Amino acid sequence: MTRALNATKLERLFAKPFVGALSGHVEGVYCLGRAVDCLAKVISGSADGDVRVWDVRNPRKANLWQNSAAHAAFVRGVCFVPGSEGNRFLSCGDDQTVKLWDLQNREKELSCLQGKDNFTAIDHHWGHGLFATSSAGATVDIWNYERADPVQSWKWTGSADSLTTVRFNAVEQHVLATAATDRSIIFYDLRMQGPLTKVVLQMRTNALAWNPMETYYFASANEDHRAYIFDMRRLDKAVNVLKDHVGAVMDVDFSPTGQELVTAGYDRTLRIYKTFSGHSRDVYHTSRMQRLFACKFSMDSQYILSGSDDGNIRIWKSQASVKSGTLSEREKASRQYADQLKERYADVPEII
């Protein structure tokens, strides 16, 4: 037990979670997207219509692509096109347009689709050339690249005035979920004509994330300072409640392993949780960091990116005390031994 306590103390002593910052946005960063087939590329959108693509391997020269006039208003959603190796990406905003961009073309979009309402979020299908948008008119639209009008449109009868987010399931690829301003989370299936079902919470949901490993689990970032994990098959109660935030939870994202998730809060903190643990194992904060609106795990689960009101995208280690770079065999063995000790004596209050 003494060795486990010493390992815990040393881990906190050598914790240096902050890696670097990607600066360049003039306004706050409100949406982030990661490339699923390229570890280094990240896309961001800000309140002034600026869209940028970054290479996180070199924070000092990270800006790969930039268009300051990508949208004429607030950028609400960005995402990469799977299978393009991070070279094609989509963006949408309050100017009622969805635009397809290519990394080789800095001046003009490849295509521009016009909607009827302001778009609030966008997400791409994992297996086909389709993408979904949610709008301020409480409508979910399914688009493809060859048509100017949506392929499918859904609207829950008597729903709220606006939807806040939309997310495709990575495993059950025909299933998607949206959150509305009437405190509801609504589920759809591309193979059906209407919505599947919905669940109503006590307060509004700001963001959703599907567990990439366990198909039916999803997390919701809520206005009541908590995040909830639900099982889609049993929506009568939450599987887990993630506490500790003292402000609204604005975004949530699962790690690619499905074992952890990160939340971004209005209280200016970034918190990391074990999937089935009620309290955060780590909290990241700096004195200059403002309110957080977006967060993403890297595809190797080693790093976390956060977008905040101050216009910076910060890069953090998911394990604060782990040394960056290649570890020797002795270092690996030492860390494995310390982890096993802490797991064995996890019930001791001093070892957390």
Side-chain angles (χ1 to χ4, degrees), residues 29-49:
V29 178
Y30 292 93
C31 52
L32 290 172
R34 65 174 178 227
V36 297
D37 45 11
C38 179
L39 286 175
K41 293 178 182 177
V42 175
I43 184 173
S44 62
S46 66
D48 59 352

Side-chain angles (χ1 to χ4, degrees), residues 85-126:
E85 297 184 354
N87 291 320
R88 291 195 173 188
F89 45 94
L90 293 157
S91 64
C92 67
D94 283 352
D95 57 356
Q96 302 180 1
T97 61
V98 177
K99 296 184 178 181
L100 174 65
W101 305 90
D102 191 277
L103 201 61
Q104 307 302 322
N105 190 345
R106 294 178 178 269
E107 297 180 358
K108 191 176 181 180
E109 67 276 4
L110 295 181
S111 64
C112 178
L113 303 175
Q114 186 71 38
K116 297 179 181 179
D117 299 290
N118 296 352
F119 292 108
T120 57
I122 188 170
D123 195 32
H124 202 283
H125 194 283
W126 289 78

Side-chain angles (χ1 to χ4, degrees), residues 40-154:
K41 293 178 182 177
V42 175
I43 184 173
S44 62
S46 66
D48 59 352
D50 187 9
V51 176
R52 301 186 181 213
V53 179
W54 309 86
D55 185 344
V56 297
R57 291 173 296 187
N58 187 1
R60 294 184 179 181
K61 299 180 180 179
N63 198 352
L64 292 177
W65 185 94
Q66 174 189 354
N67 192 324
S68 300
H71 290 271
F74 207 116
V75 180
R76 295 291 181 180
V78 291
C79 68
F80 281 98
V81 177
S84 66
E85 297 184 354
N87 291 320
R88 291 195 173 188
F89 45 94
L90 293 157
S91 64
C92 67
D94 283 352
D95 57 356
Q96 302 180 1
T97 61
V98 177
K99 296 184 178 181
L100 174 65
W101 305 90
D102 191 277
L103 201 61
Q104 307 302 322
N105 190 345
R106 294 178 178 269
E107 297 180 358
K108 191 176 181 180
E109 67 276 4
L110 295 181
S111 64
C112 178
L113 303 175
Q114 186 71 38
K116 297 179 181 179
D117 299 290
N118 296 352
F119 292 108
T120 57
I122 188 170
D123 195 32
H124 202 283
H125 194 283
W126 289 78
H128 300 292
L130 302 172
F131 60 91
T133 58
S134 60
S135 70
T139 303
V140 177
D141 295 319
I142 306 298
W143 309 74
N144 65 19
Y145 303 110
E146 299 176 356
R147 295 184 60 180
D149 296 321
V151 179
Q152 286 178 284
S153 292
W154 294 298

